[in-house]
Amino acid sequence: MAPGTDLNALPYVPYVAYNGSGPTGGDSLTENLNVFYESGDIAWMITSTALVLLMIPGVGFFYSGLARRKSALSLIWLSVMATAVTTFQWFFWGYSLTFSHHAGKYIGALDNIGFRNVLAQPSVGSARIPDLMFAVYQGMFSAITVALAVGAICERGRMLPCVIFMFIWATVVYDPIACWTWNPSGWVYQLGGLDFAGGTPVHISSGSAALAYCYLLGPRTGYGTQALNYRPHNVTHIVLGTVFLWVGWFGFNAGSALSAKMRAVMAAVVTNLAACTGGITWCLVDYRLERKWSTVGFCSGVIAGLVAITPGSGFVPPWSAIVYGVCAGIGCNFATQIKYWVHADDGLDIFAVHGIGGLIGNLLTGLFAADYIAHLDGYTVIAGGWLNRHWLQLAIQLCDSVVGMAYSFTVTALILGTMSYLGNHLPFLKLRITPEQEKLGVDEAEIGEFAYDYVELVRDVRPRDPPHDVSQIFEDEEVEVESQRSHSRAEMVKGLETGMGGNGGGAYAMRTLSRLPEATADPYRYPGAVGTAS
């Protein structure tokens, strides 16, 4: 640039160093606050924020597909509601408690309550992006962590107490762990813990909380019997949720570089490699037992690989991602047996995939973290892990993992135990639906809406010859006879009205969940209604 060039005449905004003008970064009426940051970094972080948001419905679809159809919608509802509740909590005081500029070793101050003074000052996460950008990006991390944890209530938990739990848990569990891990004032950060994108704050904390929630709720009706030996009701939902998560994880991990630099590119590379390797590994482990190439197994392995690489994604070289994927695929697969050892009905294996997957990732980061990878952004300096002969790093990673797991499990149990006790006097705080409601399904008992136009009483609709009591047939019961399935809601309603079951022959055990009057909407719950099969 020639001397004397008029900067205002240039076709772009020149970048200048932050001048330290106040807690908001300056007066936007008299200063151009954009000159402190590169537009490419801001654009990448906005994109990453949207990608992490995409992951949250992905969690809902993944969980929904794994459950039974009578509770499928409730798990999607919980995911999107977690976004709303946690976003408000994050705005109200969550961000301040986590990333305050005046935080202590364990928790932040309230100087940024209600996003007060959150504007253009460089964030505590990186001087390359302002507080406001960092706040909205990290808010998505808080939301997805809560969404992961509350999947523990699947098929038996009430919605209102869970929503209250979301706000409390984000405040007293997620915010402190995230503060001590990522805030420069935090004890883990100062100890030298390496957690690039959330091994402990996101995955270990949510997995441990889910395990505690499962204990406090108790097992589902029929736990330990063939009644719960069902297949995932919708594998397509599982694949769809996996795709949303896989795509969004690029914003989750690569976005955690907090700038559009080579370090972000490396994080994206190792994220994808670990996901692919994890999926292949889990699938092979399942094939060893079942002699089937399981789609659900592949998707579970992909998620396990993504979870494991999360804490190390900005610290490790590409070849190590293969080790992450293999270790996560094997380790998380075998960890699905833990719920039987500890007698916890973790129906979605949240602790196995996220709790154990996060632990595996943290420990491997202690082995493979490399100083030259971290410095790809041009300014981060670390001692590295065993790859750099920094032997102490593995002990630091183990300490971080164990403390985070114990804290999340213990405090979650205290929160839910208190709510359960108060529920004896305040019915709206009762954590669990009744056995009768559980038999109907959470969708019908708590939401009144359904994931599908109709719900079959059995997985495969079968002729009832001789006639028998439909109440003895449960959803997802396996059958071995040839069956037909009517996919036409109109035909099914017509069949119910004529007593012919929609196929002109024998009556079939099926019910419609259309918005018909109560007396005709479900003839099997109201024996005198029109269309009751005989």
Side-chain angles (χ1 to χ4, degrees):
M1 182 183 298
T5 302
D6 182 7
L7 298 181
N8 293 323
L10 295 173
Y12 58 87
V13 177
Y15 172 76
V16 299
Y18 177 69
N19 58 19
S21 54
T24 62
D27 183 358
S28 63
L29 294 175
T30 59
E31 303 173 68
N32 183 357
L33 303 182
N34 298 287
V35 299
F36 306 136
Y37 308 101
E38 294 186 16
S39 57
D41 291 337
I42 301 296
W44 168 237
M45 293 311 301
I46 292 175
T47 303
S48 296
T49 301
L51 287 171
V52 179
L53 176 60
L54 179 67
M55 297 172 68
I56 301 175
V59 170
F61 278 110
F62 188 86
Y63 284 173
S64 172
L66 287 171
R68 287 176 286 187
R69 59 173 60 83
K70 64 183 179 181
S71 298
L73 185 63
S74 65
L75 291 164
I76 299 175
W77 186 96
L78 282 170
S79 294
V80 294
M81 182 57 73
T83 307
V85 173
T86 311
T87 296
F88 171 74
Q89 185 273 349
W90 191 250
F91 161 80
F92 182 67
W93 61 18
Y95 176 71
S96 190
L97 291 174
T98 308
F99 293 111
S100 164
H101 288 267
H102 303 96
K105 290 185 176 181
Y106 302 97
I107 192 69
L110 291 176
D111 49 313
N112 296 126
I113 189 170
F115 274 20
R116 178 175 175 268
N117 290 331
V118 177
L119 191 61
Q121 185 181 18
S123 68
V124 299
S126 172
R128 301 193 66 85
I129 60 172
D131 273 336
L132 190 60
M133 181 70 261
F134 188 61
V136 67
Y137 177 66
Q138 284 293 336
M140 295 304 166
F141 277 62
S142 179
I144 194 170
T145 305
V146 173
L148 289 170
V150 297
I153 79 167
C154 81
E155 302 191 338
R156 64 202 188 276
R158 294 182 64 233
M159 298 303 195
L160 179 57
C162 187
V163 169
I164 297 171
F165 169 81
M166 291 175 186
F167 189 94
I168 299 172
W169 189 87
T171 301
V172 300
V173 178
Y174 177 80
D175 293 346
I177 295 178
C179 177
W180 76 48
T181 303
W182 287 324
N183 195 308
S185 299
W187 70 268
V188 170
Y189 190 100
Q190 293 186 350
L191 188 64
L194 301 178
D195 194 333
F196 190 67
T200 300
V202 177
H203 298 297
I204 289 179
S205 70
S206 62
S208 303
L211 188 65
Y213 213 142
C214 292
Y215 269 119
L216 268 293
L217 274 181
R220 290 167 289 175
T221 301
Y223 179 72
T225 70
Q226 284 296 108
L228 291 185
N229 187 25
Y230 64 86
R231 296 176 295 176
H233 95 277
N234 193 324
V235 179
T236 302
H237 273 187
I238 296 173
V239 175
L240 181 64
T242 301
V243 171
F244 280 9
L245 287 164
W246 199 339
V247 171
W249 227 290
F250 282 89
F252 195 81
N253 285 357
S256 292
L258 302 179
S259 61
K261 299 292 184 181
M262 280 296 297
R263 195 180 185 194
V265 178
M266 181 60 74
V269 170
V270 297
T271 295
N272 195 51
L273 269 174
C276 295
T277 309
I280 294 170
T281 302
W282 192 304
C283 203
L284 288 172
V285 172
D286 277 359
Y287 183 82
R288 156 184 150 270
L289 298 173
E290 306 288 341
R291 291 296 185 267
K292 301 289 184 182
W293 300 105
S294 171
T295 305
V296 177
F298 177 80
C299 291
S300 299
V302 167
I303 303 303
L306 290 167
V307 169
I309 196 61
T310 292
S313 52
F315 297 116
V316 300
W319 59 265
S320 67
I322 306 299
V323 182
Y324 275 85
V326 171
C327 290
I330 296 174
C332 294
N333 186 301
F334 283 96
T336 58
Q337 302 303 307
I338 292 176
K339 62 178 180 285
Y340 302 115
W341 303 342
V342 299
H343 305 290
D345 185 12
D346 184 3
L348 303 178
D349 287 320
I350 302 171
F351 179 73
V353 174
H354 295 277
I356 300 303
L359 175 63
I360 291 171
N362 276 354
L363 297 180
L364 291 178
T365 300
L367 297 177
F368 299 122
D371 51 5
Y372 73 96
I373 297 294
H375 200 64
L376 283 172
D377 59 11
Y379 51 86
T380 299
V381 177
I382 64 170
W386 283 25
L387 201 64
N388 287 130
R389 300 176 182 273
H390 184 224
W391 316 117
L392 184 61
Q393 191 63 49
L394 185 61
I396 296 173
Q397 298 297 107
L398 179 62
C399 174
D400 173 31
S401 303
V402 171
V403 172
M405 185 175 291
Y407 180 82
S408 179
F409 182 89
T410 303
V411 177
T412 301
L414 290 173
I415 295 169
L416 293 171
T418 303
M419 292 178 65
S420 180
Y421 173 77
L422 294 175
N424 295 326
H425 309 284
L426 302 171
F428 73 90
L429 287 178
K430 287 185 179 294
L431 298 179
R432 182 164 177 156
I433 60 178
T434 65
E436 293 76 17
Q437 291 174 324
E438 189 176 348
K439 185 175 180 180
L440 288 175
V442 179
D443 290 357
E444 185 165 356
E446 288 281 295
I447 299 178
E449 297 167 341
F450 309 92
Y452 310 96
D453 285 340
Y454 63 87
V455 178
E456 299 161 330
L457 290 177
V458 290
R459 178 181 296 277
D460 297 301
V461 183
R462 65 178 178 182
R464 296 190 295 105
D465 185 21
H468 57 271
D469 184 5
V470 177
S471 66
Q472 300 303 311
I473 302 179
F474 296 93
E475 181 190 353
D476 292 304
E477 177 187 357
E478 298 295 340
V479 296
E480 297 179 355
V481 297
E482 288 294 322
S483 63
Q484 293 180 338
R485 186 190 301 264
S486 171
H487 291 285
S488 169
R489 185 169 175 273
E491 287 184 25
M492 185 181 66
V493 173
K494 179 181 177 181
L496 287 171
E497 291 174 347
T498 60
M500 298 300 290
N503 74 331
Y508 283 75
M510 183 180 281
R511 63 175 174 169
T512 177
L513 295 178
S514 61
R515 295 290 185 179
L516 298 175
E518 193 174 61
T520 59
D522 195 343
Y524 302 115
R525 291 175 59 197
Y526 303 91
V530 175
T532 301
S534 58

